[in-house]
Amino acid sequence: MSLCRLVVTCPDRVGIVARVSSFIAEKGGSITEANQHSDLETGRFFMRYEVETRNMSVDSDSFRQAFACIAKEFDMQWQWRDGEQRRRRLMIMVSRESHCLVDLLYRWTAGELDCDIAGVISNHEDMRSVVEWHGIEYHHVPVAADDKTSAFSSVEKIIENSQADTIVLARYMQIIPPALCERYSGQIINIHHSFLPSFAGARPYHQAHTRGVKLIGATCHYVTQELDAGPIIEQDIQRVTHCHTASDLVRLGRDIEKSVLARGVRWHLQDRVLIDGNKTVVFS
Ligand SMILES: Nc1nc2c(c(=O)[nH]1)N[C@@H](CN(C=O)c1ccc(C(=O)N[C@@H](CCC(=O)O)C(=O)O)cc1)CN2
Protein backbone atom coordinates (compact mmCIF):
# COMPACT_ATOMS: atom_id res chain seq x y z
CA MET A 1 0.00 0.00 0.00
CA SER A 2 2.83 2.41 1.06
CA LEU A 3 1.31 5.92 1.20
CA CYS A 4 -2.42 6.10 1.93
CA ARG A 5 -4.80 8.94 2.78
CA LEU A 6 -7.55 8.99 5.38
CA VAL A 7 -10.10 11.79 4.90
CA VAL A 8 -12.85 12.29 7.49
CA THR A 9 -15.73 14.68 8.12
CA CYS A 10 -18.07 14.22 11.08
CA PRO A 11 -19.84 16.05 13.87
CA ASP A 12 -17.17 17.57 16.13
CA ARG A 13 -16.67 16.03 19.59
CA VAL A 14 -13.85 15.32 22.05
CA GLY A 15 -11.69 12.27 21.31
CA ILE A 16 -11.77 11.98 17.51
CA VAL A 17 -8.05 12.66 16.96
CA ALA A 18 -7.02 10.44 19.87
CA ARG A 19 -9.20 7.55 18.69
CA VAL A 20 -8.21 7.72 15.01
CA SER A 21 -4.47 8.25 15.60
CA SER A 22 -4.24 5.43 18.16
CA PHE A 23 -6.17 3.12 15.81
CA ILE A 24 -3.68 3.83 13.02
CA ALA A 25 -0.74 3.29 15.42
CA GLU A 26 -2.24 -0.03 16.64
CA LYS A 27 -2.29 -1.22 13.00
CA GLY A 28 1.36 -0.17 12.53
CA GLY A 29 0.68 2.90 10.41
CA SER A 30 2.86 6.02 10.64
CA ILE A 31 1.09 9.40 10.23
CA THR A 32 3.39 11.48 8.03
CA GLU A 33 1.05 14.48 7.58
CA ALA A 34 -1.82 15.47 9.86
CA ASN A 35 -4.41 18.19 9.21
CA GLN A 36 -7.60 18.90 11.10
CA HIS A 37 -10.17 21.70 11.42
CA SER A 38 -13.20 22.29 13.63
CA ASP A 39 -15.86 24.58 12.14
CA LEU A 40 -17.18 26.22 15.31
CA GLU A 41 -20.20 27.65 13.47
CA THR A 42 -21.44 24.38 11.95
CA GLY A 43 -20.02 22.00 14.58
CA ARG A 44 -18.39 19.93 11.84
CA PHE A 45 -14.92 18.37 12.10
CA PHE A 46 -12.54 17.79 9.19
CA MET A 47 -9.43 15.60 9.12
CA ARG A 48 -6.86 14.57 6.51
CA TYR A 49 -4.05 12.13 7.42
CA GLU A 50 -1.31 10.84 5.14
CA VAL A 51 -0.20 7.44 6.43
CA GLU A 52 2.95 5.44 5.64
CA THR A 53 1.64 1.86 5.63
CA ARG A 54 4.67 -0.28 4.80
CA ASN A 55 4.76 -1.67 8.39
CA MET A 56 1.00 -2.05 8.77
CA SER A 57 -0.28 -5.41 9.94
CA VAL A 58 -3.38 -5.24 7.71
CA ASP A 59 -4.15 -4.56 4.05
CA SER A 60 -6.45 -1.74 2.83
CA ASP A 61 -9.64 -3.81 2.77
CA SER A 62 -9.04 -5.10 6.30
CA PHE A 63 -8.22 -1.56 7.47
CA ARG A 64 -11.47 -0.27 5.98
CA GLN A 65 -13.44 -3.11 7.58
CA ALA A 66 -11.96 -2.39 11.01
CA PHE A 67 -12.17 1.41 10.74
CA ALA A 68 -15.86 1.19 9.79
CA CYS A 69 -16.70 0.55 13.46
CA ILE A 70 -15.02 3.81 14.53
CA ALA A 71 -16.67 5.64 11.62
CA LYS A 72 -20.08 4.41 12.73
CA GLU A 73 -19.46 5.42 16.35
CA PHE A 74 -18.47 8.98 15.32
CA ASP A 75 -20.99 9.26 12.43
CA MET A 76 -18.11 9.84 9.97
CA GLN A 77 -18.13 10.31 6.24
CA TRP A 78 -14.72 8.96 5.33
CA GLN A 79 -12.37 7.60 2.66
CA TRP A 80 -9.23 5.47 2.93
CA ARG A 81 -7.49 5.99 -0.41
CA ASP A 82 -4.58 3.69 -1.16
CA GLY A 83 -2.18 3.70 -4.12
CA GLU A 84 -4.43 1.75 -6.48
CA GLN A 85 -7.58 3.70 -5.60
CA ARG A 86 -5.77 7.05 -5.26
CA ARG A 87 -5.13 7.83 -8.92
CA ARG A 88 -7.99 9.87 -10.33
CA ARG A 89 -9.23 10.06 -13.93
CA LEU A 90 -9.80 13.57 -15.29
CA MET A 91 -12.14 14.61 -18.11
CA ILE A 92 -11.26 18.13 -19.22
CA MET A 93 -13.91 20.28 -20.93
CA VAL A 94 -13.00 23.33 -23.02
CA SER A 95 -14.54 25.72 -25.52
CA ARG A 96 -12.33 28.12 -27.53
CA GLU A 97 -9.88 29.59 -24.98
CA SER A 98 -6.75 27.40 -24.91
CA HIS A 99 -4.61 28.78 -22.05
CA CYS A 100 -6.05 26.78 -19.16
CA LEU A 101 -6.25 23.53 -21.15
CA VAL A 102 -2.69 23.83 -22.49
CA ASP A 103 -1.38 24.74 -19.02
CA LEU A 104 -3.04 21.64 -17.49
CA LEU A 105 -1.67 19.41 -20.28
CA TYR A 106 1.83 20.82 -19.74
CA ARG A 107 1.66 20.28 -15.97
CA TRP A 108 0.30 16.74 -16.47
CA THR A 109 3.10 15.95 -18.95
CA ALA A 110 5.65 17.36 -16.44
CA GLY A 111 4.23 15.09 -13.72
CA GLU A 112 2.77 17.89 -11.59
CA LEU A 113 -0.73 16.39 -11.71
CA ASP A 114 -0.95 12.84 -10.30
CA CYS A 115 -3.84 11.60 -12.44
CA ASP A 116 -4.85 9.98 -15.72
CA ILE A 117 -6.48 12.18 -18.36
CA ALA A 118 -9.46 10.20 -19.65
CA GLY A 119 -10.10 12.67 -22.49
CA VAL A 120 -11.09 16.17 -23.54
CA ILE A 121 -14.62 17.21 -24.49
CA SER A 122 -15.23 20.42 -26.43
CA ASN A 123 -18.14 22.12 -28.15
CA HIS A 124 -15.68 23.32 -30.79
CA GLU A 125 -12.99 21.71 -32.97
CA ASP A 126 -10.28 24.32 -32.18
CA MET A 127 -8.43 22.26 -29.54
CA ARG A 128 -8.35 18.90 -31.33
CA SER A 129 -4.78 19.13 -32.65
CA VAL A 130 -3.13 20.14 -29.36
CA VAL A 131 -5.08 17.47 -27.44
CA GLU A 132 -4.34 14.66 -29.92
CA TRP A 133 -0.67 15.73 -30.01
CA HIS A 134 -0.63 14.73 -26.33
CA GLY A 135 -2.11 11.33 -27.26
CA ILE A 136 -5.40 12.15 -25.54
CA GLU A 137 -8.83 11.29 -26.96
CA TYR A 138 -10.80 14.33 -28.22
CA HIS A 139 -14.60 14.39 -28.22
CA HIS A 140 -16.29 17.14 -30.24
CA VAL A 141 -19.81 17.63 -28.87
CA PRO A 142 -21.40 20.73 -30.40
CA VAL A 143 -24.08 22.38 -28.24
CA ALA A 144 -27.02 23.77 -30.23
CA ALA A 145 -28.77 26.62 -28.41
CA ASP A 146 -32.14 25.02 -29.16
CA ASP A 147 -31.14 21.44 -28.21
CA LYS A 148 -28.75 21.36 -25.25
CA THR A 149 -30.41 18.22 -23.88
CA SER A 150 -29.07 15.85 -26.54
CA ALA A 151 -25.62 17.46 -26.40
CA PHE A 152 -25.34 16.94 -22.66
CA SER A 153 -26.70 13.40 -22.80
CA SER A 154 -23.78 12.69 -25.18
CA VAL A 155 -21.42 14.46 -22.75
CA GLU A 156 -22.73 12.36 -19.85
CA LYS A 157 -22.33 9.12 -21.84
CA ILE A 158 -18.72 10.02 -22.78
CA ILE A 159 -17.86 10.81 -19.16
CA GLU A 160 -19.52 7.60 -17.94
CA ASN A 161 -17.77 5.40 -20.52
CA SER A 162 -14.40 7.02 -19.76
CA GLN A 163 -14.80 6.21 -16.05
CA ALA A 164 -13.67 9.75 -15.23
CA ASP A 165 -14.22 10.72 -11.60
CA THR A 166 -13.18 14.38 -11.92
CA ILE A 167 -14.35 16.88 -14.55
CA VAL A 168 -12.41 20.10 -15.09
CA LEU A 169 -14.07 22.99 -16.94
CA ALA A 170 -11.01 24.73 -18.42
CA ARG A 171 -12.92 27.79 -19.69
CA TYR A 172 -15.82 25.62 -20.95
CA MET A 173 -18.45 28.20 -21.77
CA GLN A 174 -21.66 26.20 -21.47
CA ILE A 175 -23.89 25.94 -18.41
CA ILE A 176 -23.86 22.36 -17.06
CA PRO A 177 -27.40 21.01 -16.66
CA PRO A 178 -28.73 20.31 -13.14
CA ALA A 179 -28.77 16.51 -13.56
CA LEU A 180 -25.07 16.40 -14.43
CA CYS A 181 -24.24 18.79 -11.55
CA GLU A 182 -26.13 16.50 -9.20
CA ARG A 183 -24.60 13.27 -10.48
CA TYR A 184 -21.04 14.62 -10.20
CA SER A 185 -21.54 16.83 -7.16
CA GLY A 186 -18.17 17.79 -5.68
CA GLN A 187 -16.38 16.37 -8.74
CA ILE A 188 -16.75 19.18 -11.32
CA ILE A 189 -14.18 21.97 -11.02
CA ASN A 190 -14.55 25.30 -12.86
CA ILE A 191 -12.26 28.28 -13.34
CA HIS A 192 -14.23 31.51 -13.32
CA HIS A 193 -12.36 34.52 -14.66
CA SER A 194 -13.21 36.93 -11.85
CA PHE A 195 -12.68 37.25 -8.07
CA LEU A 196 -16.09 35.84 -7.10
CA PRO A 197 -18.60 36.81 -5.95
CA SER A 198 -17.83 39.88 -8.05
CA PHE A 199 -18.71 39.67 -11.75
CA ALA A 200 -20.34 36.25 -11.94
CA GLY A 201 -21.67 35.18 -15.35
CA ALA A 202 -20.44 36.06 -18.81
CA ARG A 203 -17.68 38.56 -19.84
CA PRO A 204 -16.44 39.36 -16.28
CA TYR A 205 -13.33 41.29 -17.44
CA HIS A 206 -15.53 43.67 -19.44
CA GLN A 207 -17.84 44.07 -16.44
CA ALA A 208 -14.75 44.81 -14.29
CA HIS A 209 -13.34 47.33 -16.77
CA THR A 210 -16.67 49.18 -16.89
CA ARG A 211 -16.67 49.25 -13.06
CA GLY A 212 -13.13 50.70 -12.96
CA VAL A 213 -11.67 48.04 -10.64
CA LYS A 214 -8.10 48.21 -9.29
CA LEU A 215 -7.90 44.44 -8.82
CA ILE A 216 -8.81 41.57 -11.16
CA GLY A 217 -8.85 37.93 -10.17
CA ALA A 218 -9.82 34.35 -10.85
CA THR A 219 -11.76 31.76 -8.84
CA CYS A 220 -11.56 27.97 -8.90
CA HIS A 221 -14.76 26.45 -7.54
CA TYR A 222 -16.88 23.32 -7.56
CA VAL A 223 -19.75 23.51 -10.03
CA THR A 224 -23.34 23.57 -8.74
CA GLN A 225 -26.67 24.26 -10.40
CA GLU A 226 -26.40 27.91 -9.39
CA LEU A 227 -23.99 29.57 -11.80
CA ASP A 228 -20.55 30.46 -10.37
CA ALA A 229 -21.86 30.03 -6.79
CA GLY A 230 -20.31 26.65 -5.82
CA PRO A 231 -17.80 26.05 -2.99
CA ILE A 232 -14.63 28.08 -3.65
CA ILE A 233 -11.40 26.04 -3.78
CA GLU A 234 -8.80 28.73 -4.63
CA GLN A 235 -8.60 32.39 -5.70
CA ASP A 236 -5.98 34.96 -6.59
CA ILE A 237 -5.82 38.58 -7.69
CA GLN A 238 -3.59 41.08 -9.49
CA ARG A 239 -3.47 44.89 -9.37
CA VAL A 240 -4.57 46.85 -12.45
CA THR A 241 -4.83 50.57 -13.20
CA HIS A 242 -6.84 53.08 -15.25
CA CYS A 243 -4.28 52.59 -18.07
CA HIS A 244 -5.44 49.02 -18.72
CA THR A 245 -8.01 48.37 -21.43
CA ALA A 246 -10.55 45.53 -21.23
CA SER A 247 -8.27 43.52 -23.55
CA ASP A 248 -5.38 44.15 -21.15
CA LEU A 249 -7.48 42.73 -18.32
CA VAL A 250 -8.24 39.63 -20.42
CA ARG A 251 -4.51 39.18 -21.15
CA LEU A 252 -3.38 39.79 -17.56
CA GLY A 253 -6.16 37.53 -16.27
CA ARG A 254 -4.99 34.49 -18.24
CA ASP A 255 -1.94 33.97 -16.00
CA ILE A 256 -4.08 34.22 -12.86
CA GLU A 257 -6.64 31.75 -14.25
CA LYS A 258 -3.97 29.19 -15.17
CA SER A 259 -2.24 29.22 -11.77
CA VAL A 260 -5.47 29.28 -9.75
CA LEU A 261 -6.97 26.37 -11.70
CA ALA A 262 -3.75 24.34 -11.48
CA ARG A 263 -3.56 24.77 -7.69
CA GLY A 264 -7.25 23.91 -7.29
CA VAL A 265 -7.01 20.78 -9.44
CA ARG A 266 -3.77 19.64 -7.76
CA TRP A 267 -5.25 20.04 -4.26
CA HIS A 268 -8.40 18.16 -5.34
CA LEU A 269 -6.27 15.31 -6.72
CA GLN A 270 -4.41 15.17 -3.40
CA ASP A 271 -7.69 14.97 -1.41
CA ARG A 272 -6.77 18.28 0.24
CA VAL A 273 -10.18 19.90 -0.43
CA LEU A 274 -13.08 18.98 1.85
CA ILE A 275 -16.52 20.46 1.18
CA ASP A 276 -18.16 22.19 4.15
CA GLY A 277 -21.66 23.20 3.00
CA ASN A 278 -21.10 25.87 0.37
CA LYS A 279 -17.55 26.45 1.53
CA THR A 280 -14.39 24.34 1.55
CA VAL A 281 -11.69 23.38 4.00
CA VAL A 282 -8.40 23.29 2.06
CA PHE A 283 -5.43 21.58 3.73
CA SER A 284 -2.94 23.05 1.23
N1 LIG B 1 -24.15 24.61 -13.77
C1 LIG B 1 -23.04 25.34 -13.94
N2 LIG B 1 -22.45 25.40 -15.15
C2 LIG B 1 -21.32 26.15 -15.31
C3 LIG B 1 -20.78 26.89 -14.25
C4 LIG B 1 -21.43 26.79 -12.96
O1 LIG B 1 -20.96 27.40 -11.97
N3 LIG B 1 -22.54 26.02 -12.86
N4 LIG B 1 -19.68 27.72 -14.47
C5 LIG B 1 -19.53 28.12 -15.88
C6 LIG B 1 -18.40 28.96 -16.33
N5 LIG B 1 -18.85 30.25 -16.80
C7 LIG B 1 -18.04 31.24 -16.35
O2 LIG B 1 -16.96 30.91 -15.79
C8 LIG B 1 -19.93 30.51 -17.69
C9 LIG B 1 -20.06 29.74 -18.82
C10 LIG B 1 -21.13 29.97 -19.71
C11 LIG B 1 -22.03 30.99 -19.49
C12 LIG B 1 -23.14 31.18 -20.46
O3 LIG B 1 -23.93 32.09 -20.32
N6 LIG B 1 -23.16 30.32 -21.49
C13 LIG B 1 -24.26 30.30 -22.50
C14 LIG B 1 -23.73 29.95 -23.90
C15 LIG B 1 -22.60 30.86 -24.32
C16 LIG B 1 -22.06 30.42 -25.68
O4 LIG B 1 -22.74 29.63 -26.38
O5 LIG B 1 -20.96 30.89 -26.04
C17 LIG B 1 -25.23 29.19 -22.11
O6 LIG B 1 -24.76 28.14 -21.56
O7 LIG B 1 -26.41 29.34 -22.45
C18 LIG B 1 -21.89 31.77 -18.34
C19 LIG B 1 -20.85 31.53 -17.44
C20 LIG B 1 -19.47 26.84 -16.71
N7 LIG B 1 -20.72 26.17 -16.55
Side-chain angles (χ1 to χ4, degrees):
M1 289 189 285
S2 192
L3 198 63
C4 291
R5 291 182 198 134
L6 177 64
V7 181
V8 172
T9 66
C10 62
D12 201 359
R13 59 186 266 198
V14 173
I16 302 170
V17 173
R19 189 66 179 279
V20 173
S21 52
S22 54
F23 177 82
I24 289 171
E26 281 159 24
K27 301 296 181 194
S30 170
I31 297 170
T32 57
E33 182 180 331
N35 295 286
Q36 68 187 66
H37 172 69
S38 294
D39 185 327
L40 301 181
E41 284 180 11
T42 63
R44 296 289 295 171
F45 179 81
F46 304 85
M47 171 189 271
R48 177 186 184 276
Y49 279 174
E50 285 196 357
V51 182
E52 175 48 68
T53 63
R54 70 175 66 133
N55 298 321
M56 280 184 79
S57 54
V58 292
D59 65 13
S60 272
D61 289 340
S62 308
F63 179 93
R64 289 189 188 99
Q65 208 167 359
F67 188 79
C69 304
I70 296 178
K72 187 173 171 61
E73 180 189 343
F74 286 85
D75 188 18
M76 292 175 175
Q77 294 167 290
W78 62 287
Q79 278 192 317
W80 173 258
R81 296 180 70 92
D82 59 24
E84 294 74 52
Q85 198 205 31
R86 232 178 43 203
R87 196 169 175 81
R88 283 195 161 86
R89 286 177 62 77
L90 246 58
M91 182 63 75
I92 303 175
M93 298 181 71
V94 66
S95 289
R96 287 204 140 114
E97 296 283 339
S98 63
H99 56 288
C100 290
L101 168 69
V102 171
D103 184 73
L104 287 175
L105 293 178
Y106 165 75
R107 292 176 192 271
W108 174 69
T109 306
E112 283 185 30
L113 301 176
D114 180 19
C115 65
D116 296 323
I117 296 186
V120 173
I121 296 172
S122 180
N123 52 325
H124 298 283
E125 279 284 358
D126 306 50
M127 300 300 142
R128 180 181 291 277
S129 56
V130 67
V131 168
E132 292 181 345
W133 183 85
H134 283 83
I136 295 168
E137 191 172 2
Y138 190 84
H139 306 273
H140 177 215
V141 184
V143 179
D146 59 355
D147 184 15
K148 299 203 172 197
T149 306
S150 59
F152 280 99
S153 75
S154 303
V155 165
E156 187 162 5
K157 188 54 74 188
I158 290 166
I159 293 170
E160 192 177 324
N161 293 339
S162 75
Q163 297 183 305
D165 50 42
T166 303
I167 299 144
V168 178
L169 308 185
R171 292 299 304 276
Y172 182 72
M173 301 314 284
Q174 292 293 326
I175 295 175
I176 305 297
L180 204 52
C181 291
E182 194 54 41
R183 178 174 179 179
Y184 290 96
S185 177
Q187 297 170 266
I188 308 176
I189 297 171
N190 179 57
I191 182 69
H192 180 71
H193 36 315
S194 82
F195 187 68
L196 289 173
S198 298
F199 312 127
R203 291 168 65 82
Y205 290 125
H206 292 76
Q207 295 179 55
H209 185 259
T210 304
R211 183 66 184 81
V213 301
K214 303 306 178 187
L215 291 171
I216 58 167
T219 303
C220 179
H221 65 92
Y222 287 114
V223 165
T224 56
Q225 291 184 31
E226 189 182 350
L227 192 59
D228 301 328
I232 290 172
I233 303 168
E234 172 63 332
Q235 296 185 292
D236 206 347
I237 50 108
Q238 179 185 322
R239 299 199 67 80
V240 293
T241 74
H242 57 281
C243 302
H244 289 121
T245 66
S247 301
D248 289 329
L249 302 192
V250 171
R251 171 178 53 82
L252 292 166
R254 289 194 188 103
D255 284 343
I256 315 171
E257 294 167 44
K258 289 187 293 188
S259 57
V260 166
L261 179 60
R263 287 198 298 273
V265 170
R266 185 173 159 82
W267 290 338
H268 176 86
L269 293 176
Q270 293 175 335
D271 301 301
R272 293 183 179 278
V273 187
L274 289 75
I275 293 178
D276 177 15
N278 200 42
K279 298 192 284 187
T280 62
V281 172
V282 180
F283 293 127
S284 57

